[in-house]
């Protein structure tokens, strides 16, 4: 008896060791064939068990002699791309493979590689199993591949046109007034320390996508619904839960997003029964959200059946409903109701946190870099003048804004802190090995290999970006610094275009968002919105929204880092310019250190309650940003 149990254990152990070793050996063989630098790791960084337990192992491994783990442990820690910086790439160059027993991955900061991968959508698709968690409300454009994706992409892309970009511009202007009132405080004077900037930009982005995407009026604290609102929509805008709900729509949506990771990771049948507060809250949010979305869908179906004309807004839900229930529904009739709700959800998620964080980081970096803020304000004054923002005309200001210091600041934030720091693809498992060419040499990538396009790393790769000496880190170049001015340096790198072979129109904005006098990074070297047919559908919407918000804020205000930690307002009042500069430097150092600790969960942001406190002050009432870095004014 004992011996047969022992035998069984022995057999299982032998089988486990065999699988581990043979898996590793086969992946090492693939790495050799690719002829790229590689490191061998005991567990692959994408291994789920590793991802849950890495925090136990990493400190243990670090107790061993450094030379044993120095060369590979970094890839097993989350956010190595953002936090590790350029240093971790030094031993490898621009591409390296990570070989584990169960998987092999290529990581790249080489623009040529990135171009080939993003251009060949069918050979380098997304690994949709990575996205299964985002299908909880239904399949959608982000989580599908192949012909199913084409169908989703076509029906959603219809809403992303210039007319809707103009609506977004107007609504962003309107909502930014809400943000400013929040930041000025009840007395309307400003000079109040804001620790909730990230939360507030989330509200801003949510209110914008809620209205332009879905016609829903969401409110800032203290606001009330306009009296003439459509009673059907009042239900969603109301701050009190309407009958049949225990939360208002805004609350249900905000909590669903807040508890998104819980909802994604814990099976709902389990979640429902867990006796914890977070479990109850997330369950309640999800139930309410799904209830609202079902009602919203039914309302839209009724509207479309009654032949109601499309609304004068993006009306993404209406667009999807018409694709299925409208008169000309044909190609898209494969769409089911849960797909409609799934796409609505993904557009809210994709369109909200990414934009909010980019805007938050842009505000923060501008507070931290007074010279860049002043340059931006000068452009706002030149382009928009003193006119009331509600009179700004989209067609006439959008191109100048896109060529201004506002767009440069936005680009620079997207370069340093892209919302999606690494874009995951893989070599299609069913299409055989693929050859890519890097610097004239062929490399064979094995079928099934995952490919991580490292946006953070290629966007700081000195090969593609002209550099100058850093002003903050003596002896280094300025690639890790926020320097919007770099977007006005001349570019000698011609943009290499790669033929897509796929000439179909998958929607999204096609026009140029640049003028020739600006720096144009080599194709593949700047990929905050990814590239190719599978790039971000909302790029134009996001840019328009952020530019409008920046223009409205900086037309009348400046943003400064708060210094409460070191000095009271009275103390600052008495300080000389030189003393203020010295004080501000402390806040700047702290700000940089905090931003370096950003991490990526769904998107790159400051997690775990970290924040950079800021203040909104009227232009002319600045305490710091008019006296810091002023040598550049000369
Ligand atoms: C600064 C803001 C934004 C950034 C940095 C960003 C970035 C990205 C990136 C990198 C992808 C590719 C993801 C992947 O390959 O895994 C993507 C996809 C997508 N984004 Fe955005 N995005 C932003 C704003 C928006 C907005 C405002 C919307 C909608 C209103 C949106 C809708 C989408 C959709 C629908 C996809 C999936 C496209 C597809 O797979 O065919 N995004 N975005
Ligand atoms: C924003 O839009 C709402 C609803 O149309 C309107 O009542 C409000 O006055 C607008 N606010 C501003 C500042 O334009
Ligand atoms: C921002 O980046 C885009 C994409 O590379 C580029 O076309 C555009 O010119 C940049 N904007 C500015 C103001 O430099």
């Amino acid at each position: 008896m004992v011996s047969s149990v022992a035998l069984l254990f022995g057999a299982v152990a032998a089988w486990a060791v065999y699988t581990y070793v043979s898996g590793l050996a086969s992946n090492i063989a693939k790495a050799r064939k690719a002829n790229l630098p590689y490191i061998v790791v005991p567990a692959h960084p994408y291994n789920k068990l590793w991802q849950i337990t890495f925090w136990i192992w990493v400190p243990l491994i670090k107790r061993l002699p450094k030379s044993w783990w120095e060369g590979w442990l970094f890839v097993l820690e989350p956010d190595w791309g953002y936090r590790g910086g350029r240093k971790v790439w030094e031993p490898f160059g621009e591409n390296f493979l990570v070989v584990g027993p169960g998987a092999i991955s290529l990581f790249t900061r080489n623009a040529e590689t990135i171009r080939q991968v993003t251009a060949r959508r069918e050979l380098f698709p997304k690994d949709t199993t990575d996205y299964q968690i985002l299908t909880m409300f239904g399949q959608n454009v982000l989580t599908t591949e192949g012909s199913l994706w084409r169908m989703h992409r076509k029906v959603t892309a219809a809403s992303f046109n210039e007319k809707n970009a103009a609506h977004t511009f107007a609504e962003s202007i309107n909502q930014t007034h809400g943000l400013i009132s929040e930041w000025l405080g009840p007395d309307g004077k400003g000079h109040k320390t804001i620790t909730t900037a990230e939360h507030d930009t989330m509200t801003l982005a949510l209110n914008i996508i809620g209205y332009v995407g879905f016609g829903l009026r969401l409110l800032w604290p203290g606001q009330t619904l306009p009296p003439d609102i459509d009673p059907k929509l009042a239900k969603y805008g109301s701050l009190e839960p309407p009958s049949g709900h225990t939360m208002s729509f805004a609350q249900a949506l905000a909590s669903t997003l807040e508890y998104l990771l819980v909802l994604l990771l814990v099976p709902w049948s389990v979640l429902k029964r867990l006796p914890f507060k977070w479990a109850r809250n997330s369950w309640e949010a999800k139930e309410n959200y799904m209830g609202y979305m079902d009602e919203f869908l039914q309302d839209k179906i009724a509207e479309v059946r009654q032949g109601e004309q499309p609304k004068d807004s993006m009306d993404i839900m209406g667009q999807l409903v018409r694709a299925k229930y409208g008169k000309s529904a044909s190609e898209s009739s494969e769409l089911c109701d849960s797909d409609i709700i799934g796409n609505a959800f993904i557009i809210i998620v994709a369109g909200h946190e990414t934009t909010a964080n980019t805007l938050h980081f842009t505000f923060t970096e501008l507070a931290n870099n007074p010279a860049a803020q002043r340059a931006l304000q000068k452009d706002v004054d030149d382009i928009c003048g003193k006119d009331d923002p509600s009179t700004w005309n989209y067609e006439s200001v959008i191109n100048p804004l896109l060529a201004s210091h506002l767009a440069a600041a936005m680009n620079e934030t997207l370069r340093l802190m892209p919302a999606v720091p690494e874009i995951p693809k893989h070599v299609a498992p069913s299409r055989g090995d693929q050859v890519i060419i890097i610097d004239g040499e062929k490399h064979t990538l094995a079928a099934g290999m995952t490919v991580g396009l490292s946006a953070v790393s290629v966007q700081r790769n000195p090969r593609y970006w002209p550099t100058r000496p850093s002003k903050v880190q003596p002896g280094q170049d300025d690639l890790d610094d926020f320097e919007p001015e770099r977007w006005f340096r001349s570019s000698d790198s011609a943009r290499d275009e790669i033929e897509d072979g796929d000439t179909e129109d998958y929607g999204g904005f096609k026009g140029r968002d640049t003028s020739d006098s600006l720096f144009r990074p080599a194709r593949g070297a700047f990929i905050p919105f990814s590239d190719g047919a599978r790039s971000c559908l909302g790029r134009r919407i996001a840019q328009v929204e952020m530019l409008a918000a920046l223009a409205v804020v900086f037309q009348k205000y400046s943003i400064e880092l708060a210094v409460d930690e070191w000095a009271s307002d009275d103390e600052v009042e008495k300080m000389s310019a030189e003393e203020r500069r010295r004080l501000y430097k402390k806040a700047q150092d702290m700000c940089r250190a905090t931003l370096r600790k950003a991490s990526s969960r769904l998107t790159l942001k400051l997690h775990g309650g970290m924040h950079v406190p800021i203040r909104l002050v009227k232009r002319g009432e600045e305490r710091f940003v008019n006296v810091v870095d002023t040598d550049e004014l000369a």
Side-chain angles (χ1 to χ4, degrees):
M1 183 60 201
V2 170
S3 67
S4 59
V5 171
L7 202 65
L8 185 66
F9 268 110
V12 170
W15 174 81
V17 171
Y18 171 77
T19 320
Y20 187 93
V21 172
S22 66
L24 210 50
S26 124
N27 285 334
I28 290 175
K30 290 177 188 169
R32 294 232 166 94
K33 203 167 158 202
N35 193 23
L36 288 166
Y38 68 91
I39 53 180
V40 177
V41 292
H44 191 276
Y46 295 164
N47 180 297
K48 290 281 174 301
L49 195 60
W50 176 265
Q51 287 178 339
I52 298 171
T53 60
F54 79 93
W55 56 275
I56 306 176
W57 311 118
V58 169
L60 291 178
I61 298 174
K62 282 189 176 167
R63 287 200 203 156
L64 300 170
K66 199 169 178 189
S67 61
W68 293 12
W69 50 262
E70 202 176 21
W72 54 269
L73 188 60
F74 73 94
V75 288
L76 291 175
E77 294 187 72
D79 294 303
W80 63 267
Y82 177 70
R83 294 193 186 179
R86 280 182 273 166
K87 204 171 69 245
V88 300
W89 286 88
E90 274 160 17
F92 310 110
E94 300 190 330
N95 298 279
F96 70 96
L97 297 160
V98 174
V99 179
I104 172 167
S105 294
L106 167 67
F107 289 100
T108 183
R109 59 164 184 166
N110 173 271
E112 197 182 1
T113 307
I114 292 170
R115 286 200 297 273
Q116 293 170 76
V117 169
T118 52
R120 298 180 203 153
R121 177 177 67 76
E122 300 196 333
L123 300 177
F124 297 99
K126 308 205 72 65
D127 183 352
T128 50
T129 54
D130 290 348
Y131 289 80
Q132 281 320 299
I133 53 171
L134 285 171
T135 63
M136 63 177 162
F137 298 116
Q139 291 288 342
N140 58 70
V141 60
L142 183 64
T143 59
T144 46
E145 252 304 332
S147 57
L148 196 56
W149 167 78
R150 287 160 59 100
M151 188 269 286
H152 280 277
R153 177 89 181 189
K154 291 215 155 158
V155 291
T156 45
S159 298
F160 291 82
N161 52 38
E162 270 308 274
K163 191 167 138 248
N164 287 329
H167 285 310
T168 306
F169 187 74
E171 183 59 13
S172 182
I173 288 173
N174 183 310
Q175 290 292 341
T176 304
H177 287 115
L179 178 84
I180 290 174
S181 315
E182 266 305 281
W183 284 1
L184 288 178
D187 64 2
K189 291 202 173 116
H191 293 285
K192 151 183 136 148
T193 297
I194 302 149
T195 55
T196 53
E198 181 175 280
H199 176 264
D200 302 330
T201 55
M202 291 279 265
T203 306
L204 177 79
L206 187 60
N207 290 6
I208 295 171
I209 189 68
Y211 186 65
V212 297
F214 302 91
L216 304 174
R217 274 259 163 246
L218 307 175
L219 301 175
W220 287 91
Q223 281 184 340
T224 48
L225 283 174
D228 55 344
I229 190 166
D230 176 350
K232 253 191 298 175
L233 290 179
K235 178 168 81 185
Y236 303 98
S238 150
L239 290 176
E240 293 304 316
S243 70
H245 293 276
T246 59
M247 286 176 158
S248 71
F249 174 71
Q251 214 186 342
L253 180 55
S255 297
T256 299
L257 295 171
E258 182 185 334
Y259 289 106
L260 197 55
L261 281 180
V262 171
L263 290 166
L264 296 172
L265 298 174
V266 185
W268 289 354
S269 52
V270 175
L271 189 63
K272 194 175 170 178
R273 294 186 179 84
L274 286 179
F276 307 114
K277 187 161 169 248
W278 55 264
R280 273 197 307 277
N281 290 351
S282 51
W283 178 259
E284 187 188 357
K286 179 223 126 209
E287 284 289 286
N288 273 279
Y289 173 75
M290 285 180 78
Y292 280 113
M293 286 319 257
D294 280 332
E295 292 161 31
F296 194 39
L297 176 66
Q298 295 315 323
D299 289 349
K300 282 283 167 197
I301 294 175
E303 261 176 39
V304 168
R305 291 222 164 109
Q306 284 161 14
E308 232 171 84
Q309 282 313 299
K311 290 260 162 18
D312 195 26
S313 80
M314 254 171 113
D315 193 18
I316 290 170
M317 200 81 160
Q319 173 68 34
L320 292 165
V321 167
R322 271 190 298 281
K324 176 164 185 209
Y325 295 94
K327 285 199 199 65
S328 52
S330 57
E331 183 192 8
S332 325
S333 44
E334 318 147 57
L335 207 65
C336 55
D337 285 358
S338 77
D339 293 347
I340 296 178
I341 293 184
N343 278 307
F345 172 72
I346 215 65
I347 285 169
I348 294 175
V349 172
H352 156 237
E353 198 169 297
T354 45
T355 317
N357 292 333
T358 307
L359 198 54
H360 167 231
F361 289 136
T362 310
F363 283 138
T364 311
E365 288 283 19
L366 287 166
N368 199 28
N369 293 276
Q373 186 170 159
R374 289 188 299 260
L376 181 148
Q377 283 168 328
K378 181 173 180 305
D379 280 1
V380 179
D381 295 349
D382 288 349
I383 297 167
C384 305
K386 292 203 178 346
D387 298 347
D388 181 340
S390 61
T391 66
W392 294 349
N393 176 268
Y394 174 76
E395 279 78 22
S396 53
V397 297
I398 194 63
N399 284 332
L401 286 175
L402 277 164
S404 72
H405 276 91
L406 287 79
M410 177 176 83
N411 274 6
E412 188 65 350
T413 305
L414 289 166
R415 184 185 72 83
L416 287 170
M417 309 193 78
V420 185
E422 183 196 303
I423 298 163
K425 305 269 187 185
H426 69 169
V427 184
S430 57
R431 307 277 296 261
D433 296 352
Q434 297 301 328
V435 172
I436 58 165
I437 296 172
I438 309 171
D439 290 325
E441 270 180 45
K442 287 186 176 169
H443 298 272
T444 304
L445 305 182
M449 177 186 285
T450 63
V451 181
L453 310 179
S454 184
V456 263
S457 308
V458 75
Q459 292 171 181
R460 297 177 189 220
N461 183 342
R463 173 167 176 180
Y464 307 113
W465 300 86
T467 62
R468 290 190 184 154
S470 170
K471 292 183 198 126
V472 284
Q473 288 175 295
Q476 298 193 17
D477 68 39
D478 66 355
L479 277 183
D480 295 327
D481 307 340
F482 181 83
E483 287 286 356
E485 163 282 317
R486 93 173 66 251
W487 291 88
F488 301 99
R489 295 176 192 171
S490 73
S491 45
D492 38 31
S493 60
R495 275 171 78 88
D496 329 58
E497 301 291 336
I498 288 252
E499 256 323 306
D500 218 326
D502 187 349
T503 48
E504 239 184 292
D505 183 1
Y506 295 107
F509 182 69
K510 292 286 172 333
R512 296 246 310 262
D513 50 22
T514 186
S515 78
D516 290 329
S517 59
L518 300 174
F519 174 71
R520 298 178 83 197
R523 186 141 192 201
F526 185 59
I527 51 164
F529 297 102
S530 189
D531 201 358
R534 230 125 181 198
S535 62
C536 177
L537 200 47
R539 173 169 67 105
R540 181 73 166 178
I541 296 288
Q543 288 173 332
V544 163
E545 178 176 333
M546 292 189 284
L547 289 173
L550 290 171
V552 173
V553 168
F554 289 106
Q555 184 194 37
K556 295 206 184 86
Y557 302 92
S558 293
I559 295 185
E560 304 193 313
L561 298 174
V563 296
D564 310 55
E565 198 173 330
W566 303 279
S568 70
D569 288 358
D570 288 341
E571 284 164 342
V572 174
E573 194 58 44
K574 300 192 191 90
M575 285 183 182
S576 67
E578 186 47 39
E579 284 167 323
R580 289 184 194 203
R581 277 193 277 271
R582 244 180 284 134
L583 173 60
Y584 208 64
K585 170 115 187 358
K586 290 187 192 164
Q588 288 170 298
D589 289 342
M590 177 80 100
C591 170
R592 268 184 226 107
T594 307
L595 293 183
R596 270 200 296 277
K597 290 191 208 128
S599 58
S600 170
R601 259 176 262 155
L602 286 185
T603 62
L604 185 68
K605 63 187 254 187
L606 293 179
H607 289 283
M610 267 187 292
H611 61 261
V612 177
I614 55 170
R615 287 186 177 200
L616 186 70
V617 298
K618 293 209 173 76
R619 282 174 66 176
E621 295 179 6
E622 293 90 348
R623 303 189 303 169
F624 301 101
V625 294
N626 55 344
V627 293
V628 176
D629 295 344
T630 39
D631 45 324
E632 284 162 48
L633 286 179

